[in-house]
Amino acid sequence: MRGIGNGDGTWSTAPAAPGATFRILHVSTGNVCRSPITERLTRHALADRLGDPLWGGLVVESAGTWGHEGAPMEANAETVLADFGADASGFVGRELLDEHVIEADLVLTATRDHRAQVISMGHSAGLRTFTLKEFTRLVNAIDMATLPPLEDGVVARARALVRAAAALRGWLLAPTAEADEVYDPYGAPLTFFRSIGEEINEALDPVVTALTGVPARA
């Protein structure tokens, strides 16, 4: 089975039965720096773990609360992705719409303000919307043995992971408010972009490992 491009840079499995996909939505402000980096690093990590562009039925995309609709990724963000060997091609910025939230099974935001904006849109988004670092903290506290085995599919595992993280949220708080933030590098020099890229990649690693059950290659 081959992946089919959706025309917006995302991939999905084909053919797909209802409920056979799991959509991950990364959200920042302009959708030209943080969320594109996070989207493409997630895809790169999934391909590394699973060995193909299908990602077991996972669909990874991004949008911005003040998204620059149709805009390209920032050049420094492209450079950061190249540092990791991730593909930056074909990216097009999007403004966050109700339909994106409705369709998403997991929303990971750059900051708490972004999280609040997503939740304020409604659509029962509260239990599936986290900041990236918040979700990482919660995932690290979950016993992976309690998740469905890989034989049940990545989608089933992903849905169980989100439920487990939501159940832990009120019990495992951040040590500081800033601990859940990924700061905006827009307009900053490449060195700061690279530090943000490292921060995002570090936060993503345990999340992708939990989703796939496969650790990063040495």
Side-chain angles (χ1 to χ4, degrees), residues 26 64 102:
H26 294 294
I102 291 168

Side-chain angles (χ1 to χ4, degrees), residues 117-160:
Q117 289 179 65
V118 171
I119 293 173
S120 73
M121 295 172 72
H123 315 302
S124 303
L127 291 177
R128 51 194 165 90
T129 302
F130 310 79
T131 75
L132 171 62
K133 289 186 173 180
E134 174 191 22
F135 194 65
T136 300
R137 184 176 68 253
L138 298 171
V139 163
N140 282 332
I142 295 169
D143 180 358
M144 295 296 114
T146 64
L147 298 178
L150 292 180
E151 290 78 9
D152 289 355
V154 176
V155 169
R157 187 178 176 92
R159 295 190 191 284

Side-chain angles (χ1 to χ4, degrees), residues 40-108:
R40 295 307 176 93
L41 286 181
T42 303
R43 296 186 187 187
H44 181 67
L46 287 170
D48 179 66
R49 305 297 209 284
L50 300 176
D52 63 55
L54 299 180
W55 311 324
L58 302 182
V59 178
V60 186
E61 49 201 355
S62 63
T65 55
W66 290 87
H68 301 298
E69 188 73 28
M73 192 184 310
E74 281 288 298
N76 281 345
E78 291 189 355
T79 300
V80 167
L81 290 173
D83 289 345
F84 288 98
D87 183 13
S89 65
F91 180 83
V92 178
R94 304 192 305 173
E95 182 177 356
L96 181 67
L97 302 177
D98 288 87
E99 64 193 64
H100 302 145
V101 177
I102 291 168
E103 293 173 355
D105 297 289
L106 171 62
V107 184
L108 297 176

